[in-house]
Amino acid sequence: MRFDICTLFPDMFTSYFSDSILKRAKDEGLIEIRIHNIRDYSKDKHKKVDDTPYGGGAGMLMTAQPLYDCLMAVKKINSGPVVFMTPQGKKLTHTHAKRLAMNNESLILLCGRYEGIDQRIRDLLVDKEISIGNYVLTGGELATMVVVDAVSRFIPGVLGDEASAEEDSFSRRLGGKKEYPHYTKPAIFEGLEVPAVLRSGNHAEIAKWRKEHLR
Ligand code: ADE
């Protein structure tokens, strides 16, 4: 699956996407991530990308021209939907992330900054709007990383163990519930003992215990 990310802060993504599971997924060609700097598309001689809102009010807005040119260029190389990250969008859930992974070969993710973007970009080019929760971040970059991470986990092969995403919290197999508690060695830590059933080797009893301890 391919992700094209449009942002004013490309460097923010380097570290997160260069480690651990997402790095391996990229190296194995399971996901492809390309970052596009919106500022590179500004036709202003000072590469300005923001301006004051019509009607007044606090803060600045991202202007339409650099966003339009950036998205139009990216749409030539990515035929997927344009997703704008905003607290006004549809709340991201397990099901939503899974659907994005199953239904799309690729996504274009647009990160807002300042007080937001010129509405005409939403009217002309945005297909979906996603929020990661009812709080306001300083920009859409962190939210985009959350979407790429949550969606990538559903792409076959990204998690070492194929079954993992289907047995995670919120999955259908767990009836939408949150996972049971996990323990690893040692058997006793700070006086707290691992439940005996988990050390019994009795798989039926272990499965029963886990089912009873879904949250
Ligand atoms: N940009 C700022 N806040 C956000 C949020 N909660 N979700 C998605 N994008 C955002």
Side-chain angles (χ1 to χ4, degrees):
M1 183 161 173
R2 163 119 183 237
F3 301 92
D4 279 279
I5 300 171
C6 303
T7 173
L8 285 174
F9 298 97
D11 293 345
M12 288 186 179
F13 296 91
T14 327
S15 164
Y16 196 73
F17 293 150
S18 302
D19 255 315
S20 187
I21 291 177
L22 293 187
K23 178 190 186 317
R24 204 196 58 215
K26 280 197 305 175
D27 290 347
E28 290 177 4
L30 297 168
I31 60 170
E32 192 181 344
I33 302 172
R34 298 206 193 172
I35 314 282
H36 309 271
N37 189 343
I38 298 164
R39 195 176 297 278
D40 291 345
Y41 293 85
S42 173
K43 289 186 173 138
D44 178 80
K45 66 173 184 283
H46 303 295
K47 294 278 170 201
K48 193 170 140 85
V49 289
D50 61 340
D51 216 325
T52 52
Y54 276 116
M60 301 291 269
L61 292 176
M62 288 171 77
T63 53
Q65 178 275 316
L67 287 167
Y68 186 84
D69 287 0
C70 178
L71 287 170
M72 290 306 279
V74 172
K75 277 166 76 68
K76 288 198 179 113
I77 53 167
N78 184 327
S79 58
V82 175
V83 181
F84 176 46
M85 303 308 306
T86 166
Q88 291 131 33
K90 184 171 173 224
K91 198 99 59 72
L92 185 70
T93 62
H94 172 98
T95 313
H96 194 178
K98 185 173 178 182
R99 212 177 292 139
L100 286 170
M102 299 299 132
N103 293 355
N104 297 283
E105 288 282 288
S106 60
L107 293 173
I108 301 174
L109 297 158
L110 173 60
C111 308
R113 275 272 148 182
Y114 317 125
E115 291 304 306
I117 66 173
D118 190 300
Q119 178 62 32
R120 289 165 292 187
I121 293 301
R122 288 162 105 157
D123 297 342
L124 289 167
L125 292 175
V126 169
D127 300 304
K128 293 177 201 282
E129 301 196 339
I130 295 181
S131 164
I132 62 161
N134 287 351
Y135 41 80
V136 181
L137 302 166
T138 52
E141 284 76 12
L142 208 46
T144 291
M145 288 184 238
V146 169
V147 168
V148 172
D149 189 302
V151 170
S152 295
R153 296 180 80 260
F154 287 106
I155 298 168
V158 167
L159 299 179
D161 172 4
E162 285 287 339
S164 311
E166 291 307 332
E167 283 173 11
D168 275 336
S169 295
F170 313 110
S171 65
R172 189 139 42 124
R173 200 168 299 172
L174 299 193
K177 290 192 174 162
K178 290 177 225 161
E179 267 186 285
Y180 43 80
H182 298 287
Y183 297 90
T184 184
K185 294 179 191 70
I188 301 173
F189 181 74
E190 292 283 315
L192 295 180
E193 199 167 343
V194 176
V197 59
L198 298 181
R199 292 182 282 145
S200 69
N202 182 332
H203 295 295
E205 284 299 314
I206 292 169
K208 182 163 166 272
W209 184 92
R210 286 182 168 163
K211 203 166 167 201
E212 285 165 2
H213 287 79
L214 291 173
R215 288 176 270 201

